[in-house]
Amino acid sequence: MSKITFLGAGSSVFAKNLLGDCMTVPALQDFEIALFDIDHDRLKDSETMLKNIKKNLGSTVEINSYTDRKDALRDAKYVINAIQVGGYEPSTVIDFEIPKKYGLRQTIADTVGIGGIFRSLRTIPVMMDFAKDMEEVCPDAWFLNYTNPMAALTGSMLRYTNIKTVGLCHSVQGCAHGLLESLDMPTDNVQWKIAGINHVAWLLEITRNGEDLYPEIKRRAAEKQKTKHDDMVRFELMLKFGYYVTESSEHNAEYHPYFIKSKYPELIDRFNIPLDEYPRRCVNQIADWENMRDDLVNDKDLTHERTHEYGSYIIEAMETDIPFKIGGNVLNTGRLISNLPENACVEVPCLVDASGVTPTHVGDLPEQLAALDRTNINTQLLTIKAAMTGKKEHIYQAAMLDPHTAAELSIDDIIAMCDELIEAHGDWLPEFK
Amino acid sequence: MSKITFLGAGSSVFAKNLLGDCMTVPALQDFEIALFDIDHDRLKDSETMLKNIKKNLGSTVEINSYTDRKDALRDAKYVINAIQVGGYEPSTVIDFEIPKKYGLRQTIADTVGIGGIFRSLRTIPVMMDFAKDMEEVCPDAWFLNYTNPMAALTGSMLRYTNIKTVGLCHSVQGCAHGLLESLDMPTDNVQWKIAGINHVAWLLEITRNGEDLYPEIKRRAAEKQKTKHDDMVRFELMLKFGYYVTESSEHNAEYHPYFIKSKYPELIDRFNIPLDEYPRRCVNQIADWENMRDDLVNDKDLTHERTHEYGSYIIEAMETDIPFKIGGNVLNTGRLISNLPENACVEVPCLVDASGVTPTHVGDLPEQLAALDRTNINTQLLTIKAAMTGKKEHIYQAAMLDPHTAAELSIDDIIAMCDELIEAHGDWLPEFK
Amino acid sequence: MSKITFLGAGSSVFAKNLLGDCMTVPALQDFEIALFDIDHDRLKDSETMLKNIKKNLGSTVEINSYTDRKDALRDAKYVINAIQVGGYEPSTVIDFEIPKKYGLRQTIADTVGIGGIFRSLRTIPVMMDFAKDMEEVCPDAWFLNYTNPMAALTGSMLRYTNIKTVGLCHSVQGCAHGLLESLDMPTDNVQWKIAGINHVAWLLEITRNGEDLYPEIKRRAAEKQKTKHDDMVRFELMLKFGYYVTESSEHNAEYHPYFIKSKYPELIDRFNIPLDEYPRRCVNQIADWENMRDDLVNDKDLTHERTHEYGSYIIEAMETDIPFKIGGNVLNTGRLISNLPENACVEVPCLVDASGVTPTHVGDLPEQLAALDRTNINTQLLTIKAAMTGKKEHIYQAAMLDPHTAAELSIDDIIAMCDELIEAHGDWLPEFK
Amino acid sequence: MSKITFLGAGSSVFAKNLLGDCMTVPALQDFEIALFDIDHDRLKDSETMLKNIKKNLGSTVEINSYTDRKDALRDAKYVINAIQVGGYEPSTVIDFEIPKKYGLRQTIADTVGIGGIFRSLRTIPVMMDFAKDMEEVCPDAWFLNYTNPMAALTGSMLRYTNIKTVGLCHSVQGCAHGLLESLDMPTDNVQWKIAGINHVAWLLEITRNGEDLYPEIKRRAAEKQKTKHDDMVRFELMLKFGYYVTESSEHNAEYHPYFIKSKYPELIDRFNIPLDEYPRRCVNQIADWENMRDDLVNDKDLTHERTHEYGSYIIEAMETDIPFKIGGNVLNTGRLISNLPENACVEVPCLVDASGVTPTHVGDLPEQLAALDRTNINTQLLTIKAAMTGKKEHIYQAAMLDPHTAAELSIDDIIAMCDELIEAHGDWLPEFK
């Protein structure tokens, strides 16, 4: 019996989506689904929920919970990772509140930026532990990483372990259609091509019946920017740099030095930027959990329709050898994107089938897009270097190279802020020298 | 109405396969199929045959013959190339008979080797003409090249024209299963990976339910080699170099200096090598044509089942955006195979969908396989250089670098033979200085 | 008679150094020295000065002034470029004053930054004209470029013309010794290695008798930073990023987002940053010119000792075939610095001899240094793209990607400022759309 | 006191040249010269000889012999390697006689070819032992390798040890002048450029006062080929492939499949090929040793003039920081020669100074030269693979990929010959499976 192990199974919504998806796939009906989480209550909840779904879907998978990580991983063929280290409290609160004291505001803080750096620093060691376990008990398993910061975590796995890893996000597959829908343009017969780095990948081509849609998209976008809407940062990036980016406006607002600027406070309103968005979402989620629990865990009639998350499609393609195409996060080995550094983690079209995840060759990005991506890669590579060397100086460098942090703060403030963050995160971080 | 143009449509069998395949595909029912050949009789025959198939399949494609090449190509969305330049007579006869006078024996002569070189030299100029026409009347069309020598022709198109080109062969898709069947091994649940250069691509992985099949394959192959069979050269290559090659024994016999050796005449029998195989096939084909014509052209009830040729699947994938995987011949740009030269034409897994043919990154071939491929690439690159510069010295160099030619003949004989071939081919070749 | 042509010969000090140097070299005594400048008065002055030096050195070179550029270039073997386009007035004043209105302060403005961008934009077209002339009248000449912005100008020459070009600066050869002297450390037997991009190249190694000097250097530098001195920005960069940079503190202050920050005005004093340094120097130079003229032009006894400028050493090495090593600016073709983009202009050790300027392979820079250089390369590549496409959007992108500009200004202000600069420079710029 | 260690110091002539050279260099007068050889008699002879030279040159170096290798290497700053493993008897005799039984004739057998393969296989393990010692007692020393087969040995050191290594040969520095002299052409003011692989590097450029000398060289060479002379193979290669090769005719005769062909026995005379040249030289050397011993060892007045061997110039350049240019053998890391494999050992212009040996970037070789080099690299890479994996199959593959071996013998004969060679060499080889 083949086995899919889900690390961080206590994330009930995500477990529902990924594993519910798997239960709808004929080729996966003989699989064991192994659930693991360090929060045993949430683990139990997810197990209950998934067993309900299984019953209602008539699936024949076998669902088991594990409290020992190695047991959960033993002989797994696929490992899905959706963990979060440090949680809303204390970690997310720290990641937002300390920078705020220095005048550095954030929206999501899960990618680059000061929050992304510290989220990486506390998560990479856990990933390395996963890899050590896997090298022992399931060395041939595919590791599907959903945990952020995607580039730093996936890059660390690929550079410093032998585990076959691909990083996955849902910002690629819906990008083109989402853009067209938001501009009231038809979405049938649309061809698109996306590449870059996670959360800052670019819609390089978008055509319909062979016709380039960008001129019309930009015309409508310029019009829409005259009103207030939820995607103003992305539209601004497209109008200034020529291409649409995969991640949302609230994310991209903090990846660049252009939007959250203490010297230009009016930009927050002008571009409709939801500062502190992620902690607000966390608070709401926590508050809503009892309601949600009723919907998810306590609803015996709960069922599931397959989502667009890549996970189940990847496993299905590997099992059936019917090719599937994803936007996957992989190392830039062989310079798939030829004007980005070779040790960057890039998001490129990949072919998935029984031979695994095989990245395709992209070539050069347009110069301005490569440039923007390089500014984020700078921080990612230094963050990985900090995590793997244990040296504080590389944490400082990661932060000093972050475009938003560097634009807002002086070197002294950056270093003081990093030191304060290291102190506040305490045992959630390894020791740095 | 979208248009598929078939160049060399007089090849009735091939036209039946490729275009018959297209007629079975729902997504292509509104297409025009445009037939072109310089042999108007054969063109007419193919048209008749295809119209019968259309009727019997109930297809709604529109089939037209053209006697003007530009008209045939105008506004094409796809161009399939299956031409042959010079034919059995005079060209193939010359390619075999003149070398034979020098003691240089061949089997197929369509890839590298002295025959492959001259076949390239007379075909590349025609391809350049096609490209010039296409740049004028259908600059965005995809060019699916089936004509050999695959690497030299496809490489020339990709390096010296702007036409989107992929080279296609049927030696990849059947390789793994064919090998297993020939050794009475099961073929279900088999995963495989192939990369290299056309006709000398390598079965790099073959597993079944995760288990490496090569040990058992080699055990059985070693046993089978004790008897006489049709695939002895390939088995010998596998037993000595560790991997199975895509093209048949009669082809590979002449790509390497190991099998057709005047000093070891016994190897012909020992490895069951069919010298002069290709002209023999041509003679038989010509002789059988009237019978075959009855079967193909005159049979009003002729129908067709979809084959495994890549052509129709590629067009379908581009039209439907449902991904398909091929072993395609593309330039090694970005060093898809990292230990082969960047300007080589390589055969690698490619993803096909609405975004076109996108090659995947392979990495290093095992050292010995890269080495064998480099010996053939040497000749291919010099052949292209000869064709594009019009210099005889590069023809000589292409021949001197061919492993089989160089093993058998002295430099003087190679040059004399090349001169005699240039003379004999006359106007089928451009002028060389 | 071999010929060295000096473009911008009216820069008397620079002409004295470069050409005075040449007059001291035995191997160059038979050369013609051809002077060209659009300012005929200054040209005349330089000629007078150089002829005095010639007489006093007993040199046998032949010195001629030309008022026709093609005549000056005709049959040149070496062309030294030291032009400045637009001068102090109007261009430098514009480059400083308009940004200042937007709150964007600069020090030198000749590299990247908003001033560097516009200096490139007005100079690249002139360089392209030089190249056109040279391709006609001296296609084999070596072009030694001393004009800034080095990377954008040299990169444009190397990417868009066929002229053999190397970019030269004097910030490499004195870097290591200058650092040691400033810290009262001995300079004999010191080995060093420098690579990066012009003005942001890094002292990667500095050893004395095999011992790494960096620990002691950093100890003393940290001590010296407690006092006020002239090199505080560079010391801060070294203490934070681990390596010493080639260009001075007043330059590096504006290449990074760390030092000139409107939100932290105290940094100007703290790091002793001379805002508006370059225009102040220009004003002084203009004011002093009459005095200087007496010293240079009117002093019949003027003589010259060979300086450390690379120019005469390069020409000598090419003439004598005795190897000389320079830090030269060349395209990163073949990824000499493997973690910088291939189309960047990098400053790396080059071997000079009769075979010309041959760059050496450097490999990866330390991650944090590559990162810092990439932030400047971003602007350089977009500036070149703007110059070669004539599109305003790429000017805006170059400016938006400049780390200092992006840190200080909003997108709207950046664009408004660019538009104002385009307007103000008028005919000194080509037309942008 | 800095130390130069000479491994294989019993090679008196070579020790005289390399170390005699060092004694003439002012910068090396304070050095210890440490001699090591496993043949203690020859070691004593070399010591005597060198002490005489020292006295007569008035040098102040300190010369010591060591019988313990680690003692000899301890704290060395430079290590010169000139060992030979297995000697004339038994190894060289075996390398020639066994292949001869199979009809495979050789001339020198020290590079590629069957003799080169086995010479590599018995020498690489000794080199690995050297490296292990050096990593322990002199990890920062530069290792100057003079032992052949150059590419396989130097490549092994560079790929599998941490020792700073460069491979040196004297075939580069004299190539251009030697060619001109042999054709009665002037040699002053000649510029040349050489790159490729050791013994098959190519004179890519040769100019005099800017004029390409190749047309005249080829005219004279074609004329000279009408008479019998000592360099006929090289001239033939130049006339057919367009460029002159660095190593002599007797070497190149066996690197290619064109000259020693059992089917064309007349080529031996026609190209004046000295079969069995190397063993003949060995026999003569052994016979002459007593006479030579009188000249070298017993001549108390023996003195020395500096030769053109690179060794002393490299050490001088590293000590004085005055740049020197060599043709050095280094890994093709970063693809210095862009159309050769990245793990090949290439011979390219290198800059030597206090920063060590820094290779320069060459770019593409002309296609036909890259092709010829690739055929030899194939064998070199498989030989290294055989040595490092201990697998017989890779020995066979190395031999099957050797162009000369493959041209002459069948696979069965190649394998039988390899097995016989493995057997005959006995303990001089490690065990292969």
Side-chain angles (χ1 to χ4, degrees), chain A residues 102-104 159 236-237 240-242 257-259 261-264 267 270-271 335 338-343 364 366-368 370-372 374-375 377-379 381-382 385 393-394 396-397 400-403 405-415, chain C residues 102-104 159 236-237 240-242 257-259 261-264 267 270-271 335 338-343 364 366-368 370-372 374-375 377-379 381-382 385 393-394 396-397 400-403 405-415:
Chain A
Y102 289 81
L104 184 64
R159 287 169 61 189
E236 175 73 355
L237 286 171
K240 293 305 181 289
F241 291 95
Y258 310 127
F259 302 103
K261 297 183 88 65
S262 52
K263 200 176 138 196
Y264 293 87
L267 297 177
R270 163 135 184 248
F271 289 110
R335 292 195 179 84
S338 38
N339 52 2
L340 295 185
E342 186 145 23
N343 58 356
D364 274 354
E367 204 60 83
Q368 67 273 25
L372 286 169
R374 286 193 285 252
T375 67
I377 289 169
N378 287 345
T379 291
L381 295 180
L382 267 306
K385 193 168 178 179
E393 63 191 279
H394 298 308
Y396 304 150
Q397 291 162 2
M400 288 189 287
L401 282 157
D402 179 64
T405 305
E408 291 294 279
L409 301 189
S410 69
I411 290 179
D412 285 350
D413 276 358
I414 291 173
I415 290 176
Chain C
Y102 289 83
L104 183 64
R159 287 169 61 189
E236 175 73 356
L237 287 171
K240 293 306 182 287
F241 291 95
Y258 310 128
F259 301 104
K261 296 182 89 63
S262 53
K263 199 177 138 195
Y264 293 86
L267 296 177
R270 163 133 184 250
F271 290 110
R335 292 196 179 83
S338 38
N339 51 2
L340 295 185
E342 186 145 24
N343 59 356
D364 274 354
E367 205 60 83
Q368 67 272 25
L372 286 169
R374 286 193 285 251
T375 67
I377 289 169
N378 287 345
T379 291
L381 296 180
L382 267 306
K385 193 167 178 179
E393 64 190 278
H394 298 307
Y396 305 151
Q397 291 162 1
M400 288 189 288
L401 282 157
D402 179 65
T405 305
E408 291 294 279
L409 302 189
S410 69
I411 290 179
D412 284 351
D413 276 358
I414 291 173
I415 290 176

Side-chain angles (χ1 to χ4, degrees), chain A residues 293-345:
Chain A
R293 202 168 174 279
D294 277 344
D295 293 347
L296 288 176
V297 181
N298 299 331
D299 177 2
K300 299 220 159 150
D301 298 328
L302 186 69
T303 185
H304 182 76
E305 281 185 31
R306 197 170 185 182
T307 71
H308 288 289
E309 293 287 354
Y310 283 142
S312 74
Y313 296 92
I314 288 174
I315 298 175
E316 183 180 21
M318 290 188 180
E319 291 294 316
T320 62
D321 205 21
I322 296 170
F324 187 74
K325 176 184 174 175
I326 61 167
N329 290 274
V330 296
L331 264 197
N332 198 25
T333 305
R335 292 195 179 84
L336 304 163
I337 298 183
S338 38
N339 52 2
L340 295 185
E342 186 145 23
N343 58 356
C345 182

Side-chain angles (χ1 to χ4, degrees), chain D residues 88-148:
Chain D
Y88 170 63
E89 282 187 315
S91 293
T92 295
V93 171
I94 291 169
D95 282 349
F96 275 82
E97 292 308 314
I98 288 175
K100 199 181 288 177
K101 287 182 13 190
Y102 289 83
L104 183 64
R105 302 300 306 273
Q106 297 172 90
T107 44
I108 305 290
D110 73 343
T111 309
V112 285
I114 192 66
I117 293 168
F118 277 84
R119 184 177 271 253
S120 295
L121 294 176
R122 64 181 177 265
T123 311
I124 290 173
V126 180
M127 304 284 280
M128 293 298 110
D129 283 347
F130 288 175
K132 220 177 300 169
D133 282 2
M134 290 180 66
E135 283 166 3
E136 187 186 333
V137 300
C138 58
D140 294 327
W142 268 96
F143 187 78
L144 311 186
N145 180 48
Y146 274 100
T147 297
N148 276 321

Side-chain angles (χ1 to χ4, degrees), chain B residues 236 240-241 257-258 261-264 270 335 338 341 343 367-368 371-372 374-375 378 381-382 385 397 400-401 406-413 415, chain D residues 236 240-241 257-258 261-264 270 335 338 341 343 367-368 371-372 374-375 378 381-382 385 397 400-401 406-413 415:
Chain B
E236 175 72 357
K240 294 304 182 289
F241 291 95
Y258 310 128
K261 296 183 87 66
S262 53
K263 200 178 141 196
Y264 293 85
R270 164 131 184 251
R335 291 196 180 85
S338 39
N343 59 356
E367 204 60 83
Q368 66 272 25
L372 286 169
R374 286 192 285 251
T375 68
N378 288 346
L381 295 179
L382 267 306
K385 192 167 180 182
Q397 290 162 2
M400 290 188 289
L401 281 157
E408 290 294 278
L409 302 188
S410 68
I411 290 179
D412 284 351
D413 276 358
I415 290 175
Chain D
E236 175 72 358
K240 294 304 182 290
F241 291 95
Y258 309 127
K261 296 183 89 64
S262 52
K263 200 177 140 196
Y264 293 87
R270 164 132 185 251
R335 291 196 180 84
S338 38
N343 59 355
E367 204 60 84
Q368 67 271 27
L372 286 169
R374 286 193 285 251
T375 68
N378 287 346
L381 295 180
L382 267 304
K385 193 168 179 180
Q397 290 162 2
M400 289 189 289
L401 281 158
E408 291 293 277
L409 302 188
S410 69
I411 290 179
D412 285 351
D413 276 358
I415 290 176

